[in-house]
Amino acid sequence: MAKYIFVTGGVLSSVGKGIITSSVGKMLQTRGVRVTAIKVDPYVNVDAGTMNPYMHGEVYVTIDGGETDLDLGWYERFLDLNLTMNSNVTTGMVYQTVIEKERRGDYLGHCVQIVPHVTNEIKRRIRYVARESKADVILTECGGTVGDIEGLPFLEAIRQMRLEEGFENTLYVHVALVPILDVTGEMKTKPLQHSVNELRRIGIQPDTIVARSRKMIDAEARRKIALFGTIPDDAVFCSYNVKTVYEVPLILDVQGMGEFVRDRLQVPTREPKWSTWKGFVDTVLEPHHSIKIVLVGKYAGLIDSYVSVNEAFRHAGAKCQTEVSMKYVEAESFEKHPEKLVTLKDYDGIFVPYGFGPRGSSGKIAAIQFARENDIPFLGICYGFQLAVVEFARNVCHLERADSTEINSSTPFPVIDLMPEQHNVKAKGATMRLGSHKILVEQGTLAYSLYKSEEIDERHRHRFEVNPLHIPTLEKGGLVFSGKSVDGRRMELLELPGKFFFLASQFHGEFKSRPDKPDPEYYGFVKACLDRKLEGSKVKL
Ligand code: GLN
């Protein structure tokens, strides 16, 4: 029988509830417990696909093509899982199902209400994941903070789950910020007390509280949190600031949280095994080398827009014992100030990530041209791949004004064009080419030396592709398409032989990157940047 852990948040959002949820999962997993995780998001969007990454952070793509909240990325990276889209439940989804049922007549005669119909649908979705995953423990993180109007049906659903699943099979973790006053250094627990009160008003008494604080909480703060939270002192834990988020499960376990959760849920466990995880954390904390990579993007102002990319670089860096420092540059700045392009010389590698629409595209193309002409290691992802094709078509194949039709629909050379099946698509939600697809990698190429396999599976999120009409011209110019879809129609990887490292992919390798299993394209790129910096010599893989 599955057991459930529910994680709620108080005081403020964005205090790292996703990391703490992942860490609780990690503490159990490392003791041999099978875990999975769900994010419930109270917003009314059906999924995260239509949300601006600049406001909400990146859209994470699951193997089955779900466009989900970025916290699923943290669950996958910490727990090395491949979740499905069912692991992200939104108000939009829940209501969509309930309303469809109502229209079908499934509730005929009944007045359809938040309790029980909406709450039943929430519980059904959580239990569905429990069955689908066959996990022993299902962690459910509630997005937002306690007290948000939109979150109430979700909290009511998890309240009911204690009644239905039993006390020993459910655990409530409450995470809240404990600010420290700059002037006196005093730890203020009052906001946390209020959020616990709010939770109790809804009918949930937390079993354990994680104080999120800059420093380890002192005895006085712990005593207050325990007293006002009505929990024992030893059920209070602290997630204080650490250099890397991958330390969080370690610092919580040292405080006894792993044992606490295990005892409370009575799950059979073995001795925790931390050696691999610790090894990774140590290399992140004490790298031998460092490289500088510039990300030329559109959402460069918000770090969460590229969270999986950043982590993929961290994982790849750890394997090379290298700290990868990322500099984010708005692509548009190269359009307004082309003289700034030469500053790209100061970096060990140039990275152009995914993106949409014309804004900033010329700046990205200019950066790619700079990388190619100056032989600076280059990696492009999705839009970065497509724009590398545009740049090559214009500047090497002399197809003047070649473009992607996403940028210029009347270009004479539409080297990147809408996929045929996209022509009649009007709706924006969940209509791109999404999720995992097989790719055949050509032997003897750079890509093959990285993937060491003729067949790989990678995640996608795009509407446009390389236009098959122009492939012969591009290939004649020297561009090598080293990975293709199984039917050979879709170009998935490109490279430029003779360059130090010039690789781009239509897919997103970052979604598969894990701390101890860096993604091959990111790893190859980081390794190349390091090789070039250290010895100026060719890539040795
Ligand atoms: N805008 C491009 C497309 O839709 C690239 C998408 C992306 O970078 N994820 O194909």
Side-chain angles (χ1 to χ4, degrees), residues 155-169:
L155 295 176
E156 170 56 18
I158 67 169
R159 186 192 70 83
Q160 293 172 14
M161 282 190 74
R162 163 146 297 172
L163 286 172
E164 295 165 11
E165 301 292 331
F167 179 80
E168 66 288 2
N169 297 321

Side-chain angles (χ1 to χ4, degrees), residues 130-169:
R131 281 199 306 279
E132 180 191 52
S133 65
K134 301 191 180 66
D136 306 314
V137 174
I138 290 85
L139 294 121
T140 301
E141 176 191 348
C142 301
T145 42
V146 173
D148 296 346
I149 292 177
E150 303 157 316
L152 288 173
F154 289 101
L155 295 176
E156 170 56 18
I158 67 169
R159 186 192 70 83
Q160 293 172 14
M161 282 190 74
R162 163 146 297 172
L163 286 172
E164 295 165 11
E165 301 292 331
F167 179 80
E168 66 288 2
N169 297 321

